[in-house]
Amino acid sequence: MTWLATLRRYAGLYGALWRNSVTRELQFKLNFILWIVVELLWFALQLAFMSVLYSHTESIGGWSKWEVVLLVGCANFVQQLFTALFLVNLTDLSEHIRTGRLDFMLLLPVNTRFLISLRKVDLGSYVNAAAALAVMVWAGSRLQLSPSFGQFVGFGALCLVGLMIHYSLMFLLSSIAFWTVRAQGIVWGYYNLFNIARLPESAFPAGAFRVVFTFLLPMLLVANVPAKVMVQKLSSPGEWLLLVFMGVACYAASELFWRISLRHYTSASS
Amino acid sequence: MGKYFHVFKIGIQNTLVYRVNFLFRALFGLIPLAGTLFVWRAIFADKGPDAQVGEYTLRAMVSYYLLVTFIDALTAVAEDDWQIASDIKDGLISQLLLKPVDYLTYRLSLYFSGRTTYTTVALIPVSLFAYYLRDYLVAPADVSTLGLFVVSVILAAFLQFFIAYAVAMLAFWVLDISTFIFIQFAFEYIASGHLFPLDILPPPLALALKFTPYPYLSFFPAAIYLGRVSGTELWQGLALQVFWVVACYGLARLLWARGVRRYSAVGG
């Protein structure tokens, strides 16, 4: 039963990290609320963009207006969960390396990747994830969807896979900081990729762009596949199998690169 | 004038350090742009070959987005607002207050040097992308259109800087202004015509936007280039653009004067 003990230990650790984050966030209450407002504003902006597009057309790549609203909601849901759990921690990594604070983390008796990835919790993003969920429910009711239990489970599981893909890719990009100190630009560049995750993938013609963003950086899958499960657009089980496969592949690649990078680490101080 | 030219030159040297960063930024920025263009292509494909959205053909639409990207490279504030805010917050303006230097002109010189470097670097990926889309691009109707486009872009650069400067002045009153910068940027992003040309909006909405400074940041210069404004409308637009430049300049100066009176030189 050792794995159960390990699990309990890590759950306890994460609880402590949560309490720390809550204390930190509550120091600046107004700022905390303003950040939520900023994110909600950008979310509203994406929806406004789609509604302008649909005032001139009936469908984009076979997707109707409310189907796309659901897709935008889904993309934002996954993105906000990613922000809540991981984003700050991953952008902090290059600072840990630059200042040598990573030495200290490597010496702690916990899995270093766990600590680096989950140290801070971005509470406001949970509020925004809830807003994204509400938009999906709203779109679903406009589409008069009545999803089965299986659809809910499939949707939830595939959203988690999408989350894993964002996390693995961003972790991989952050690890570049082991090799070059100025990796922050690359990490923030990832933000641009979120922009294409919320577009219907059928709008993209076969070509280099589509291949890259399906098989290399699977942005055209992370939100599209779960949303398709909900609006029953999946043409074959191959689509969700591909997403799961890409999720596992991205995670494996990030773990491999992390181990290679750690071996390359020489510490900044002493 | 000479001393500000020196600031400009030093600014160029400083920003050259970030050239790789700039290249990545320009390169990554093309990904969402390509995404948007693919979506428009899908919309036009559904509507048939001679379709129009608003009064835009697919070619005009693609040209519009490339123009906006180009104008953005030339005029966007990159780090300027953040730097101004941290200058104020960390007390760095104290040493400038003691020198015979006008802070606004000083920052303006740095803004121009930043834009010069960024545009030079960004020109590589942006022109390659434009070459790839060459079949979709439209040329300006005549030389005078091109000339007015250039004038309008220069005015847009000043407007962009003064708005950013005015927002950064909030740092005199508020400790952390990043949320204000992002909220302002969100409005700018949609109302300047970054996401879509403003004249495909429902007319009342497009009209309402005309009473804000935002359309003059991107949409208006692009509309001049594409020949979508002409005659009296064009001259009125330019006059309004000048008005907004002057108004935002006045606001920036006013906020600075008020702020300096409150300024307590934290950190000495």
Side-chain angles (χ1 to χ4, degrees):
Chain A
M1 282 319 241
T2 46
W3 64 270
L4 196 65
T6 315
L7 194 70
R8 276 184 56 184
R9 181 161 159 264
Y10 276 89
L13 274 173
Y14 194 55
L17 292 171
W18 246 89
R19 280 192 295 280
N20 265 340
S21 301
V22 173
T23 320
R24 193 166 31 226
E25 298 263 27
L26 290 182
Q27 282 180 313
F28 306 101
K29 288 190 199 65
L30 182 67
N31 222 29
F32 173 72
I33 292 166
L34 279 175
W35 275 116
I36 295 176
V37 172
V38 169
E39 285 293 328
L40 285 178
L41 210 57
W42 281 98
F43 185 33
L45 214 85
Q46 294 152 23
L47 292 171
F49 175 54
M50 288 303 173
S51 100
V52 170
L53 291 186
Y54 277 96
S55 69
H56 293 278
T57 187
E58 292 291 303
S59 89
I60 297 174
W63 290 65
S64 73
K65 179 175 176 175
W66 290 102
E67 286 170 346
V68 162
V69 170
L70 195 133
L71 172 66
V72 173
C74 178
N76 207 53
F77 178 64
V78 176
Q79 184 189 334
Q80 293 296 343
L81 282 183
F82 167 72
T83 311
L85 290 160
F86 305 115
L87 183 68
V88 220
N89 303 309
L90 299 185
T91 54
D92 279 351
L93 180 59
S94 67
E95 271 306 285
H96 297 326
I97 293 169
R98 200 180 60 81
T99 56
R101 217 178 310 148
L102 188 66
D103 295 5
F104 173 69
M105 294 183 175
L106 286 168
L107 290 174
L108 289 176
V110 285
N111 182 306
T112 312
R113 182 169 181 171
F114 166 82
L115 191 64
I116 287 175
S117 305
L118 293 166
R119 222 164 58 97
K120 291 183 195 162
V121 184
D122 187 341
L123 297 169
S125 298
Y126 282 109
V127 178
N128 293 311
L133 209 55
V135 165
M136 279 192 278
V137 171
W138 178 39
S141 76
R142 292 301 294 258
L143 289 165
Q144 294 177 320
L145 297 179
S146 47
S148 66
F149 180 70
Q151 270 175 293
F152 275 119
V153 173
F155 172 82
L158 292 172
C159 280
L160 287 180
V161 176
L163 181 66
M164 190 164 89
I165 289 179
H166 278 320
Y167 164 66
S168 304
L169 290 177
M170 183 74 125
F171 189 80
L172 207 150
L173 285 176
S174 319
S175 301
I176 294 176
F178 279 103
W179 312 83
T180 152
V181 188
R182 290 245 162 241
Q184 271 145 326
I186 304 169
V187 171
W188 285 113
Y190 193 79
Y191 238 82
N192 288 304
L193 299 185
F194 288 132
N195 280 315
I196 49 171
R198 51 180 168 259
L199 303 175
E201 69 49 73
S202 50
F204 294 85
F209 191 89
R210 191 178 178 138
V211 170
V212 168
F213 291 107
T214 306
F215 298 105
L216 199 60
L217 304 164
M219 288 303 122
L220 294 178
L221 302 176
V222 284
N224 270 280
V225 177
K228 277 182 174 179
V229 170
M230 269 304 174
V231 298
Q232 291 180 317
K233 267 185 166 358
L234 275 189
S235 52
S236 75
E239 293 198 54
W240 69 262
L241 281 171
L242 179 64
L243 177 68
V244 173
F245 172 77
M246 289 308 297
V248 173
C250 287
Y251 186 80
S254 77
E255 181 66 24
L256 186 69
F257 189 65
W258 162 245
R259 290 184 182 196
I260 295 172
S261 303
L262 259 191
R263 218 169 294 154
H264 183 262
Y265 178 63
T266 49
S267 173
S269 56
S270 64
Chain B
M1 224 31 228
K3 59 189 172 191
Y4 296 111
F5 186 64
H6 273 291
V7 173
F8 175 77
K9 280 201 296 192
I10 292 168
I12 295 248
Q13 286 170 9
N14 280 338
T15 48
L16 272 178
V17 176
Y18 301 105
R19 59 193 182 277
V20 180
N21 227 329
F22 283 172
L23 185 68
F24 271 117
R25 191 186 291 211
L27 216 57
F28 271 116
L30 290 180
I31 295 169
L33 174 66
T36 311
L37 291 182
F38 278 127
V39 165
W40 276 114
R41 219 164 71 165
I43 292 174
F44 277 98
D46 276 356
K47 290 169 90 80
D50 300 315
Q52 289 200 332
V53 168
E55 288 166 35
Y56 288 83
T57 58
L58 180 56
R59 282 186 68 198
M61 196 59 94
V62 173
S63 303
Y64 176 83
Y65 278 98
L66 269 176
L67 277 168
V68 167
T69 306
F70 180 63
I71 296 168
D72 189 61
L74 281 168
T75 66
V77 286
E79 300 284 314
D80 304 81
D81 36 8
W82 300 95
Q83 285 171 3
I84 296 171
S86 73
D87 275 3
I88 294 169
K89 200 180 63 166
D90 302 337
L92 288 172
I93 57 165
S94 303
Q95 49 150 327
L96 287 161
L97 284 169
L98 295 172
K99 289 175 190 157
V101 174
D102 174 50
Y103 188 67
L104 189 140
T105 320
Y106 167 78
R107 289 306 325 191
L108 187 65
S109 314
L110 286 178
Y111 163 70
F112 282 134
S113 55
R115 284 302 96 195
T116 309
T117 314
Y118 184 82
T119 308
T120 315
V121 174
L123 217 54
I124 306 162
V126 170
S127 29
L128 280 177
F129 193 64
Y131 180 74
Y132 172 70
L133 290 170
R134 63 195 177 281
D135 293 340
Y136 291 99
L137 298 184
V138 289
D142 47 47
V143 182
S144 69
T145 309
L146 191 63
L148 288 170
F149 167 71
V150 173
V151 171
S152 184
V153 169
I154 294 169
L155 286 170
F158 278 103
L159 184 57
Q160 185 73 260
F161 175 77
F162 293 141
I163 291 177
Y165 189 89
V167 173
M169 286 303 111
L170 287 173
F172 280 116
W173 289 271
V174 190
L175 200 60
D176 179 12
I177 68 156
S178 38
T179 46
F180 293 97
I181 291 179
F182 277 116
I183 289 172
Q184 197 282 130
F185 185 57
F187 281 107
E188 186 186 311
Y189 201 65
I190 195 158
S192 70
H194 238 273
L195 270 177
F196 47 78
L198 299 177
D199 47 2
I200 65 166
L201 281 171
L205 214 58
L207 186 70
L209 284 179
K210 277 191 181 169
F211 293 98
T212 72
Y214 294 121
Y216 301 97
L217 292 172
S218 302
F219 172 72
F220 184 65
I224 293 182
Y225 180 99
L226 293 172
R228 305 195 55 82
V229 281
S230 54
T232 36
E233 208 190 338
L234 175 70
W235 295 110
Q236 271 174 3
L238 277 173
L240 273 170
Q241 199 178 16
V242 172
F243 164 78
W244 281 114
V245 172
V246 175
C248 291
Y249 172 76
L251 183 69
R253 284 281 186 206
L254 181 76
L255 287 173
W256 168 264
R258 285 288 172 89
V260 163
R261 223 178 296 163
R262 271 185 56 104
Y263 178 61
S264 56
V266 187

